Amino acid sequence: MDAAGSQVADECAQYAGQYQSGFITTQGGNLLCSKIIHLITNNQVKSQVSKVLHECEQKMYKSVAFPAIGTGQAGQSSAKVAEEMLDAIVEFARQKSVQHLQTIKIVIFQTNMLKDFYESMKKREDSNSSTTESWLSMFKSFFWGGRQSSEKKKVVILEKKGNLVTFQICGESQEKVDATESWIKDLILKEQFENTITDEAIESFDESQFAILEDLQSRKQVTIQLLNKLSPPQIRISGISRDVYSVSLEVKEMVQKIKSTEEEQSKAELLCNLVEWRYPGSNHSFVAFDKLTNMQLEHAKMAKKLTLNVRIKKKNYSVDLNTLKATDDQGKTINLQRVTKDEGKR
């Protein structure tokens, strides 16, 4: 509450006694968030988390961050809290009606609690639900960072359909037939080549990259094997030498593009923790730009550029980086905010 500031404390005092659903919602104050949901302390952790998630979905929030509810002054065990919080999140994620809430984070400051949350997630790993696998991957990435090795990696098979060619060799003797067979095999092998590309970024391939690989395999005289169970994963390309070479170049470009994208996302994530650009939302509040736009705005300002074109609520705006004013195509102007991390804590 101290970090949020006096404005949030005043709002809480104003809404005191109005906890109709077990919580009240205030502005984010000095914190780097648009809203704060304040809960009444009780032992029903699962119910509280579920109510907050449905409130976020109803209000069309895209993300929410929870502390380990009840492990502080309430004195509940972290193992019990982990079970109830994850139960609520799994049940929410399985609902087909969820459209807006995309990211759910649990912020844990005490490292000794990580084991309890990890064990709770492991219990759910045997579930056949694809939804469970998706949120489990999300939590593992959030707690430990980076990619996690897993025995249950998705196996992708690229089907190669080819026409068989049959050689019928006739000769005066078996010796001449064998010699001709050897000569033909040598000719075939001289035209065959194999290349293996190894890179961690291959693990990030999705349906769009798989579709490109299948298209390359159908158009070129090659066979592509995606060995994603290996660590690091590999793509093995074999076939006619000239096609193996050209396909290898395209695959390397795909890998490099993914690595560049991940690097940009990492830089944007880091910068977001230092400075945040915001545009006006509803009820006199401000909404943070997405991380990549946030980075583009900050880099443009640091480079002393005069303007930068961005999109806000599906409309084009030209941002004056000196005055922090954004003007749309119709001449309407709005004020932006640039908040540094130090400013957000005051």
Side-chain angles (χ1 to χ4, degrees):
M1 187 67 77
D2 291 338
S6 58
Q7 177 187 354
V8 175
D10 292 342
E11 276 195 81
C12 287
Q14 177 184 349
Y15 296 130
Q18 300 181 25
Y19 292 84
Q20 296 179 355
S21 301
F23 62 85
I24 61 171
T25 303
T26 67
Q27 299 299 318
N30 294 331
L31 300 181
L32 295 179
C33 60
S34 60
K35 301 288 183 182
I36 303 175
I37 297 178
H38 306 262
L39 296 169
I40 298 177
T41 303
N42 62 42
N43 293 328
Q44 305 300 319
V45 174
K46 180 179 177 180
S47 175
Q48 287 186 311
V49 172
S50 180
K51 287 180 179 179
V52 170
L53 293 174
H54 284 90
E55 174 72 5
C56 291
E57 175 64 18
Q58 184 178 355
K59 299 296 185 183
M60 294 187 291
Y61 299 150
K62 291 185 178 180
S63 64
V64 63
F66 290 93
I69 297 174
T71 57
Q73 294 182 353
Q76 297 192 58
S77 72
S78 56
K80 175 179 177 293
V81 168
E83 286 290 322
E84 294 195 24
M85 292 189 72
L86 295 180
D87 280 346
I89 292 171
V90 171
E91 290 179 9
F92 176 80
R94 284 174 175 166
Q95 296 178 17
K96 296 182 179 180
S97 60
V98 176
Q99 297 179 357
H100 305 288
L101 189 58
Q102 299 174 359
T103 304
I104 303 170
K105 293 184 178 181
I106 299 179
V107 182
I108 299 176
F109 297 101
Q110 298 86 353
T111 55
N112 60 302
M113 292 185 186
L114 285 175
K115 181 180 178 181
D116 291 321
F117 277 83
Y118 176 73
E119 291 299 326
S120 181
M121 289 188 294
K122 287 290 287 182
K123 291 179 183 178
R124 296 165 167 79
E125 231 176 346
D126 293 332
S127 170
N128 291 326
S129 170
S130 60
T131 303
T132 302
E133 292 181 4
S134 65
W135 68 257
L136 181 59
S137 299
M138 175 188 70
F139 274 115
K140 284 186 177 180
S141 176
F142 178 69
F143 285 138
W144 288 276
R147 304 182 186 90
Q148 298 296 313
S149 60
S150 171
E151 295 180 358
K152 295 186 178 181
K153 292 180 180 177
K154 183 179 179 181
V155 177
V156 179
I157 300 174
L158 302 178
E159 184 179 358
K160 179 67 175 180
K161 293 182 179 180
N163 296 320
L164 296 178
V165 177
T166 302
F167 289 91
Q168 291 184 340
I169 306 171
C170 302
E172 295 178 354
S173 65
Q174 185 63 45
E175 181 180 355
K176 290 185 178 181
V177 170
D178 292 342
T180 303
E181 180 183 359
S182 178
W183 176 73
I184 293 174
K185 287 181 177 179
D186 286 342
L187 287 178
I188 295 173
L189 290 175
K190 284 179 182 179
E191 281 296 317
Q192 295 295 306
F193 186 70
E194 181 177 283
N195 185 37
T196 300
I197 298 171
T198 303
D199 200 292
E200 290 286 354
I202 294 172
E203 191 171 359
S204 297
F205 274 31
D206 58 20
E207 283 76 7
S208 61
Q209 280 82 36
F210 299 150
I212 294 174
L213 293 178
E214 288 179 351
D215 178 64
L216 287 172
Q217 185 172 251
S218 65
R219 291 188 294 106
K220 303 287 187 177
Q221 296 296 316
V222 297
T223 298
I224 301 176
Q225 293 177 282
L226 182 56
L227 308 174
N228 55 344
K229 284 189 175 183
L230 300 180
S231 183
Q234 298 178 353
I235 292 178
R236 186 172 298 159
I237 307 163
S238 57
I240 297 178
S241 302
R242 63 177 183 274
D243 285 348
V244 170
Y245 176 75
S246 63
V247 170
S248 295
L249 289 180
E250 293 195 48
V251 171
K252 287 179 179 178
E253 288 180 4
M254 292 166 59
V255 170
Q256 186 57 48
K257 186 176 180 180
I258 287 179
K259 293 172 73 172
S260 297
T261 300
E262 290 181 346
E263 184 178 354
E264 284 293 294
Q265 291 173 343
S266 178
K267 290 179 180 178
E269 181 81 33
L270 178 61
L271 183 60
C272 187
N273 293 325
L274 302 176
V275 62
E276 185 174 81
W277 287 72
R278 304 171 179 174
Y279 61 88
S282 58
N283 299 324
H284 306 290
S285 64
F286 278 80
V287 180
F289 281 97
D290 65 85
K291 293 171 184 177
L292 290 178
T293 304
N294 185 77
M295 182 172 67
Q296 291 168 1
L297 285 164
E298 186 63 18
H299 284 177
K301 184 170 180 61
M302 292 298 99
K304 297 184 179 180
K305 292 185 178 180
L306 298 179
T307 62
L308 181 71
N309 294 326
V310 300
R311 286 184 64 81
I312 302 174
K313 297 179 180 178
K314 299 181 179 180
K315 295 177 65 177
N316 295 320
Y317 281 82
S318 176
V319 179
D320 186 319
L321 295 168
N322 291 323
T323 64
L324 303 190
K325 292 182 181 295
T327 306
D328 66 12
D329 296 336
Q330 285 72 44
K332 181 181 178 181
T333 299
I334 59 175
N335 293 318
L336 305 184
Q337 288 184 349
R338 177 182 177 273
V339 181
T340 64
K341 184 176 181 181
D342 291 339
E343 289 176 357
K345 291 183 177 179
R346 289 199 295 267

